[in-house]
Amino acid sequence: DAGVIQSPRHEVTEMGQEVTLRCKPISGHDYLFWYRQTMMRGLELLIYFNNNVPIDDSGMPEDRFSAKMPNASFSTLKIQPSEPRDSAVYFCASSLRLGSSGNTIYFGEGSWLTVV
Amino acid sequence: AQSVTQLGSHVSVSEGALVLLRCNYSSSVPPYLFWYVQYPNQGLQLLLKYTSAATLVKGINGFEAEFKKSETSFHLTKPSAHMSDAAEYFCAVSASSNTGKLIFGQGTTLQVKP
């Protein structure tokens, strides 16, 4: 399998611009997660979906952030307008329907966002 | 609520020495526990996981971890460090076996000196 695929890998944008991060989960996985990683706060769960439905978005920092999952193979995380403090690595991850083996989450390689 | 504490944000060992990265968890229900590794400029990769089977779990690259319920710990060890082990290591606990939500520790950066 190709794994979780994210794009872009790196993006530099100016403050106020819209940023869209994209993710393709592993085929067959029912759960999709968006995490943010910063030096100050470590790894934070922003939102996760189950069968394309947002389950928990309590980690989304503010209304400037939105996430969608229009189908089982695609999700977006959008920041509008972007601010310098949004600079971080954004990870998408996915996992299978859960069973007794535990819920291994597979991560993409991340999108490195810099807002100047 | 579940939480994870990793003791020591930086650990430095000599090549060939024992690696010990500490993780303590808090969970009101039997937990699933994970160790992930992140190499520079890369995503997170699963090292190993505990899912209530054997308490001693073996992972990739010679790493293993032991689940100790009495100590609420899940420390990661490797008998002999290699230069390629230099990375950041994250311990994580599953909030619930039904949600897939992982709570991560703050991470421990492992430095391996020649």
Side-chain angles (χ1 to χ4, degrees), chain A residues 45-108:
Chain A
L45 177 65
L46 300 179
I47 185 171
Y48 77 95
F49 297 81
N50 180 21
N51 292 323
N52 313 337
V53 176
I55 303 300
D56 183 351
D57 65 354
S58 59
M60 295 286 262
E62 49 198 273
D63 292 345
R64 297 185 297 106
F65 285 70
S66 62
K68 294 182 179 180
M69 192 166 185
N71 57 62
S73 59
F74 183 67
S75 176
T76 60
L77 178 67
K78 187 174 293 187
I79 309 172
Q80 168 62 21
S82 58
E83 296 182 3
R85 60 193 170 117
D86 301 329
S87 298
V89 184
Y90 292 82
F91 288 103
C92 179
S94 70
S95 68
L96 274 171
R97 193 168 182 82
L98 300 177
S100 58
S101 62
N103 41 343
T104 299
I105 294 180
Y106 297 88
F107 284 78

Side-chain angles (χ1 to χ4, degrees), chain B residues 8 15-16 27 35 39 42 50 81 100 114:
Chain B
E15 191 173 19
S27 178
W35 275 99
Y39 298 103
Q42 294 187 26
Y50 166 75

Side-chain angles (χ1 to χ4, degrees), chain B residues 5-102:
Chain B
T5 302
Q6 291 184 240
L7 302 176
S9 58
H10 289 84
V11 170
S12 181
V13 300
S14 298
E15 191 173 19
L18 171 72
V19 175
L20 171 61
L21 304 182
R22 300 178 187 273
C23 172
N24 288 89
Y25 70 90
S26 172
S27 178
S28 57
V29 297
Y32 292 155
L33 294 160
F34 304 78
W35 275 99
Y36 281 85
V37 60
Q38 184 179 28
Y39 298 103
N41 300 317
Q42 294 187 26
L44 279 76
Q45 179 183 1
L46 181 69
L47 268 180
L48 50 82
K49 63 180 180 181
Y50 166 75
T51 58
S52 74
T55 57
L56 182 62
V57 181
K58 294 187 183 300
I60 62 172
N61 301 339
F63 284 93
E64 62 182 37
E66 186 172 7
F67 172 71
K68 292 187 177 180
K69 185 178 179 180
S70 60
E71 299 177 6
T72 61
S73 69
F74 191 57
H75 302 332
L76 181 70
T77 60
K78 182 174 181 178
S80 177
H82 192 271
M83 296 297 291
S84 60
D85 295 326
E88 188 159 18
Y89 293 80
F90 292 92
C91 184
V93 61
S94 171
S96 165
S97 62
N98 293 323
T99 68
K101 185 175 177 178
L102 278 185

Side-chain angles (χ1 to χ4, degrees), chain A residues 1-70:
Chain A
D1 201 310
V4 177
I5 299 172
Q6 292 186 245
S7 65
R9 288 295 313 278
H10 300 272
E11 177 147 352
V12 180
T13 191
E14 292 185 346
M15 181 174 62
Q17 296 298 306
E18 177 179 291
V19 173
T20 299
L21 308 179
R22 298 172 176 80
C23 176
K24 177 179 168 55
I26 293 173
S27 178
H29 281 191
D30 289 338
Y31 290 86
L32 184 139
F33 307 82
W34 283 101
Y35 282 87
R36 179 173 67 175
Q37 186 180 36
T38 61
M39 289 291 291
M40 292 297 294
R41 301 173 68 90
L43 270 164
E44 303 174 278
L45 177 65
L46 300 179
I47 185 171
Y48 77 95
F49 297 81
N50 180 21
N51 292 323
N52 313 337
V53 176
I55 303 300
D56 183 351
D57 65 354
S58 59
M60 295 286 262
E62 49 198 273
D63 292 345
R64 297 185 297 106
F65 285 70
S66 62
K68 294 182 179 180
M69 192 166 185

